[in-house]
Amino acid sequence: RGVPKPRVSVWEWGRGPAGRMTSFWSERDGARVVADVGAQVISLQDPSRLPPWMQDEVMVAENLSDTSERRKDWYHFYAVGGLPSLQRASLTQADVMELHFNRRVMNLRYEGRWWASYSERGTPRSAQWQDFGLLIFAGTAQDALNLSGLRDNLAPQQLQAMRGVRYDHRLALALIFR
């Protein structure tokens, strides 16, 4: 009460919610065929931890193959509309005031407040700046290190930790047959 609601802005370089939850779709014979090519299943040890806003978006996943990553004693769910539908639902739940797709962070700087420069797909690469009271950067460690303004505000041990991050890149393949 009495606390002003924060202005939440989301910038995403993709054309829509993507990342580890990306989907590919194609129109075939008047129907949309969706293939999740990122993470396909949400797994929870306790199903009561499934957020209320997500409950209408998912169904219980049954008859899943055994993998070393998928524990049989956990609960597994899939999103009927593809996992990006969960990101869209979470953005709705967060009551985002500004949602920009096709927008890439080009650099950051700190001057008592965080400033972020961006460019938009399909426009000249001239940087435009916007200020933020709080900034959350969601990207790879290498992407973060490529932003000189962010890199310049990290302590040496933080830089060393960021340079030590390694990723498990897995192949995802979506085939749609006619």
Side-chain angles (χ1 to χ4, degrees):
R1 288 186 191 155
V3 176
K5 181 179 158 186
R7 186 184 108 228
V8 177
S9 297
V10 175
W11 296 358
E12 167 63 51
W13 183 231
R15 63 188 168 113
R20 295 274 308 163
M21 295 186 173
T22 194
S23 285
F24 170 81
W25 68 88
S26 179
E27 298 293 330
R28 296 288 181 224
D29 299 323
R32 178 176 274 192
V33 178
V34 177
D36 282 324
V37 292
Q40 287 87 25
V41 177
I42 298 165
S43 299
L44 299 170
Q45 192 171 8
D46 178 359
S48 69
R49 295 192 63 196
L50 187 70
W53 61 265
M54 194 184 285
Q55 292 173 4
D56 290 339
E57 305 290 330
V58 299
M59 293 186 68
V60 173
E62 297 174 337
N63 302 316
L64 297 172
S65 61
D66 291 334
T67 71
S68 60
E69 298 166 327
R70 190 176 299 124
R71 298 197 41 180
K72 287 185 179 215
D73 56 336
W74 284 38
Y75 297 84
H76 309 287
F77 302 90
Y78 73 95
V80 177
L83 284 174
S85 67
L86 299 182
Q87 289 180 308
R88 285 188 290 279
S90 71
L91 291 168
T92 299
Q93 174 70 19
D95 200 15
V96 171
M97 296 178 131
E98 290 182 87
L99 177 58
H100 299 281
F101 294 110
N102 297 307
R103 181 174 283 192
R104 178 181 222 156
V105 174
M106 302 303 291
N107 208 345
L108 301 172
R109 71 176 187 239
Y110 185 76
E111 297 171 358
R113 295 177 61 83
W114 279 102
W115 288 78
S117 73
Y118 63 90
S119 82
E120 294 183 344
R121 197 182 309 267
T123 63
R125 291 189 63 91
S126 61
Q128 301 176 54
W129 290 87
Q130 185 172 329
D131 73 315
F132 296 92
L134 173 69
L135 183 92
I136 300 171
F137 178 83
T140 67
Q142 188 58 53
D143 288 343
L145 289 171
N146 286 336
L147 300 171
S148 62
L150 180 61
R151 190 177 58 241
D152 295 346
N153 281 282
L154 295 175
Q157 63 270 27
Q158 291 171 316
L159 286 169
Q160 182 178 1
M162 296 271 288
R163 288 184 182 114
V165 173
R166 299 291 176 258
Y167 295 96
D168 178 6
H169 296 281
R170 302 209 178 165
L171 177 65
L173 179 64
L175 301 174
I176 295 179
F177 298 97
R178 266 194 148 157

